[in-house]
Amino acid sequence: MNEPIIGIDLGTTNSEVAVFEDGRARLIRDAAGRAIIPSVVGIDDQGRLLVGEAALNQYVARPEATIRSIKRKMGRAEKVSLGGTDYSPQEISAFILRHLKDMARADLGREVTKAVITVPAYFSDAQRQATREAGEIAGLEVVRMINEPTAAALAYEAGHSGQRHILVFDLGGGTFDVSVVRMEDEIVEVVASTGNNHLGGDDFDNRIGQYILDHLAGERQFDVVPGTSPHARILRRAESSKRSLSDHPFVRVEEEFLGTRDGIPLHLDLELSRNDYEAMISSHVDETLDLVHKALDDAHLGTGGIQEILLVGGATRTPVIRKRLEEVFGMVPRGEVDPDVCVALGAAIQGAIIGGATGTAVLVDVTPYTFGTSALGELDGVWTPFLYVPLIRRNTPIPTSKSEVFFTVYDNQKEVDVRIFQGEHSDASYNIEIGQFMVEGLSKAKEGGPIVLRLDLDVNGVLHVTATEKNTGLNKKITINNALTRKGENALDLAKGRVAAMFEGISGGSSPGVAEGGDDSGGDHTETATARAVVEKARGLLGEATDEDRDDMVNLIESIQEALDRKEFREVKSLREQLADILFYMET
Ligand code: AMP
């Protein structure tokens, strides 16, 4: 066997090493099972060299003997001092590379001397030269240096034929890079690249951190001094809360014993919603999108000229980023290859290509289908109870867990009807319904009561669905087996039938999906949902109605709610049609 050429992502915050074996790229782990190695070098109090986690761990205690983010200094003549000796940035980087090389040797059981190393697309010649030297100092022949976005593109796209333009959106902890990569058969080139060296997930942590500090200062009259241990603990909690908000709509932010006030111990305990968090970071997200447009302009391309969007960097797990990109490009960005490590995997693929290997690929276990639910909302300008809200997107690595918050639509609502679908269509009735249940006995609160829906999908295709009334903890669960199999004809026929029933309803002037007999429970659910949709829409239009219409609308809304409570669905239907008539004339 040829000597393997390892792939190395020498990052500002973390570094990784990968190898291509048995037709696929895989990450190499250290003896403790870690694949993500902090790009930190230190000297301990005995004068011993520390690299990675061990160096990071001593940072708080011995910052003067620990070096972080050396990548920012690559290519400069300045030296850094470590344990009383001055080192060039290349030498410090070489310690990290040497550590990665040793990990590869231990894993592969043989000497490793050749590597592909990635560098940012914006790196100058001097910075590239310094990186090459770092490799040599570490005892590695750098057979090629490739741009990070190129490596990411290879991790996804190696083996595709034809010309493709790929947008690589790379948001790490401290830097943001966006590149347009052109791939044509064997040729991969970066045609445009831009970014901001001081924008990343750390800024998101700071926004949450500031919010917590303001809360403590305002509501608790407790000022936290920067640079102290409570301050550091708050920032760490901000980071973990941020990660949690990527998968769930709320997080409890708790930190015990931050200090004392008037002799009483002070604990932090507050709830943060994803909505509020997204508002906090919106200016940062806007900036990334402005830079995306700049990269497109530089590449002389419009959004339609991009065939794939690839996500790189841990901070791209933030859902609002994926959502905004999807809105701009009209396609779902791809993030299934772990965004923390896809650059290293791509570098290993490049190594394999140089070594003459074929069948290059990164394999990950992903769900081939999207799973979501239906909700009341506007679809193409029309209110519908069948707005599809995807929770787990196609190509998400499994196992995965996602939750989303929904709100009750009227006062004293007693139950919610939860429907789970497999599919992509924005109108849920075109997707395949794979589960349905009612959550009953809600706490008769005002409208807008939050209900959290959570989907847990495991590698065996078992989907656990839980709906929880947030304020009371009341919940209901179901399990759907074989969620990963394409649902058969039967379910498809059902979906088609539902859609056909909707059309009949419209042309025949009766309500969607409601059997004339009126006591079929599926029809009742549909009538309930449809009536709620109309009520919701009417509420939104009350401000625009004439006095006379407004009185009628308010009366009808109340009567519909009463009829719903009494489960008089025929009456609901007739009242709902009267209300819809008023809305129809208002809108024409
Ligand atoms: P990187 O430099 O690519 O390793 O990215 C690190 C950044 O990604 C840090 O700011 C992390 O807090 C952030 N990050 C990691 N996981 C998540 C997540 N699940 N949601 C949001 N940000 C994350």
Side-chain angles (χ1 to χ4, degrees):
M1 190 181 122
N2 288 340
E3 182 185 339
I5 302 174
I6 55 174
I8 293 179
D9 172 7
L10 184 61
T12 308
T13 318
N14 295 306
S15 296
E16 297 85 24
V17 55
V19 66
F20 193 87
E21 254 183 358
D22 302 330
R24 58 175 295 195
R26 72 169 172 88
L27 224 51
I28 289 176
R29 296 176 182 276
D30 67 9
R34 282 181 297 245
I36 296 180
I37 307 299
S39 302
V40 185
V41 176
I43 299 282
D44 73 6
D45 49 11
Q46 315 279 314
R48 283 176 306 216
L49 178 73
L50 302 173
V51 178
E53 200 74 28
L56 182 64
N57 287 343
Q58 77 151 16
Y59 178 72
V60 177
R62 293 169 51 81
E64 72 293 346
T66 318
I67 294 178
R68 304 170 64 163
S69 305
I70 192 64
K71 186 169 175 178
R72 293 191 192 279
K73 297 205 164 83
M74 290 294 269
R76 294 198 208 153
E78 76 185 77
K79 299 255 180 184
V80 292
S81 168
L82 183 65
T85 310
D86 285 347
Y87 293 96
S88 66
Q90 293 81 314
E91 288 171 295
I92 299 295
S93 293
F95 289 133
I96 301 167
L97 289 173
R98 178 63 205 254
H99 184 80
L100 299 171
K101 176 178 184 271
D102 289 349
M103 276 167 61
R105 190 186 50 192
D107 178 281
L108 297 169
R110 56 186 292 186
E111 198 50 59
V112 175
T113 60
K114 294 182 177 166
V116 170
I117 301 182
T118 61
V119 288
Y122 61 78
F123 251 27
S124 65
D125 279 349
Q127 289 168 307
R128 286 167 197 260
Q129 187 51 35
T131 306
R132 191 177 286 281
E133 280 170 26
E136 279 169 27
I137 299 167
L140 283 170
E141 179 194 344
V142 183
V143 293
R144 187 148 328 155
M145 264 188 306
I146 60 170
N147 292 316
E148 288 161 9
T150 303
L154 282 171
Y156 279 90
E157 294 287 313
H160 270 275
S161 59
Q163 195 193 72
R164 300 163 73 71
H165 283 103
I166 294 155
L167 186 94
V168 180
F169 185 102
D170 180 353
L171 188 63
T175 57
F176 171 61
D177 299 305
V178 54
S179 311
V180 177
V181 177
R182 180 165 48 222
M183 295 188 86
E184 188 158 14
D185 303 326
E186 294 288 284
I187 301 159
V188 191
E189 67 174 323
V190 177
V191 288
S193 189
T194 182
N196 179 343
N197 272 339
H198 295 281
L199 173 63
D202 300 351
D203 297 294
F204 298 0
D205 304 348
N206 290 336
R207 291 270 161 101
I208 297 181
Q210 194 55 51
Y211 173 79
I212 298 172
L213 295 175
D214 290 348
H215 162 85
L216 290 172
E219 284 179 33
R220 316 284 294 276
Q221 283 108 52
F222 182 78
D223 285 316
V224 181
V225 182
T228 57
S229 152
H231 193 267
R233 281 170 56 205
I234 287 171
L235 265 190
R236 258 207 321 268
R237 179 64 58 213
E239 202 263 349
S240 62
S241 306
K242 170 188 77 173
R243 287 174 186 246
S244 184
L245 286 170
S246 288
D247 295 326
H248 306 289
F250 299 96
V251 63
R252 280 224 85 78
V253 187
E254 289 168 311
E255 202 59 48
E256 294 199 320
F257 298 111
L258 282 173
T260 52
R261 204 168 67 82
D262 305 331
I264 301 168
L266 188 114
H267 310 301
L268 168 69
D269 181 5
L270 63 87
E271 184 178 74
L272 182 59
S273 74
R274 188 191 282 162
N275 268 350
D276 289 344
Y277 164 60
E278 289 177 353
M280 285 174 209
I281 60 166
S282 69
S283 62
H284 290 317
V285 177
D286 289 347
E287 191 187 339
T288 63
L289 287 159
D290 290 346
L291 289 163
V292 164
H293 287 293
K294 182 168 182 300
L296 289 175
D297 286 348
D298 293 349
H300 306 295
L301 287 175
T303 50
I306 296 292
Q307 278 78 48
E308 292 277 7
I309 306 164
L310 307 184
L311 301 175
V312 182
T316 57
R317 294 198 179 91
T318 312
V320 68
I321 289 179
R322 295 174 179 227
K323 187 167 138 243
R324 294 283 300 275
L325 284 167
E326 186 174 343
E327 281 164 8
V328 171
F329 286 90
M331 71 176 111
V332 180
R334 296 179 61 186
E336 67 263 28
V337 181
D338 185 342
D340 289 320
V341 301
C342 79
V343 169
L345 293 171
I349 289 176
Q350 178 69 70
I353 293 171
I354 295 169
T358 52
T360 45
V362 172
L363 299 176
V364 276
D365 242 345
V366 295
T367 158
Y369 304 114
T370 298
F371 297 95
T373 190
S374 54
L376 185 60
E378 216 175 320
L379 191 64
D380 302 330
V382 179
W383 277 84
T384 166
F386 290 113
L387 178 74
Y388 188 47
V389 184
L391 270 83
I392 297 179
R393 308 297 300 239
R394 186 161 67 90
N395 285 334
T396 302
I398 46 178
T400 184
S401 155
K402 300 277 177 205
S403 49
E404 197 51 79
V405 64
F406 298 87
F407 299 95
T408 54
V409 289
Y410 58 91
D411 291 350
N412 297 325
Q413 188 170 330
K414 290 195 196 102
E415 57 190 21
V416 281
D417 179 7
V418 180
R419 284 160 187 254
I420 305 298
F421 297 87
Q422 182 194 71
E424 303 282 330
H425 203 287
S426 52
D427 181 337
S429 56
Y430 284 81
N431 294 326
I432 296 162
E433 187 172 322
I434 57 169
Q436 182 271 331
F437 61 101
M438 301 292 288
V439 187
E440 287 158 334
L442 299 180
S443 62
K444 297 198 181 165
K446 282 212 132 323
E447 65 169 63
I451 310 283
V452 176
L453 180 68
R454 174 179 175 129
L455 302 190
D456 289 284
L457 179 64
D458 73 14
V459 279
N460 301 316
V462 179
L463 181 67
H464 296 279
V465 184
T466 315
T468 308
E469 185 180 33
K470 185 159 176 295
N471 299 334
T472 60
L474 171 85
N475 68 64
K476 178 127 182 209
K477 300 178 188 177
I478 60 164
T479 299
I480 300 167
N481 290 313
N482 300 325
L484 291 183
T485 48
R486 173 95 188 141
K487 295 298 164 186
E489 280 300 314
N490 203 5
L492 263 183
D493 286 346
L494 281 176
K496 276 190 206 141
R498 255 196 317 277
V499 171
M502 296 275 287
F503 274 95
E504 272 165 33
I506 291 161
S507 56
S510 70
S511 65
V514 180
E516 280 306 310
D519 56 356
D520 137 77
S521 73
D524 293 347
H525 291 321
T526 314
E527 178 54 57
T528 305
T530 309
R532 283 176 194 162
V534 175
V535 164
E536 188 64 13
K537 179 164 181 193
R539 284 211 176 101
L541 290 172
L542 279 176
E544 295 165 32
T546 61
D547 288 349
E548 196 184 330
D549 277 349
R550 188 175 315 119
D551 285 347
D552 288 346
M553 285 159 73
V554 169
N555 287 337
L556 282 164
I557 289 172
E558 278 177 8
S559 307
I560 289 174
Q561 285 182 352
E562 282 166 20
L564 277 170
D565 286 346
R566 284 185 273 113
K567 296 198 188 304
E568 293 290 348
F569 294 105
R570 276 168 186 265
E571 192 181 330
V572 171
K573 177 171 171 254
S574 142
L575 292 164
R576 188 252 304 158
E577 283 170 356
Q578 290 173 47
L579 184 57
D581 277 348
I582 300 179
L583 302 185
F584 178 77
Y585 287 111
M586 277 180 72
E587 288 193 322
T588 48

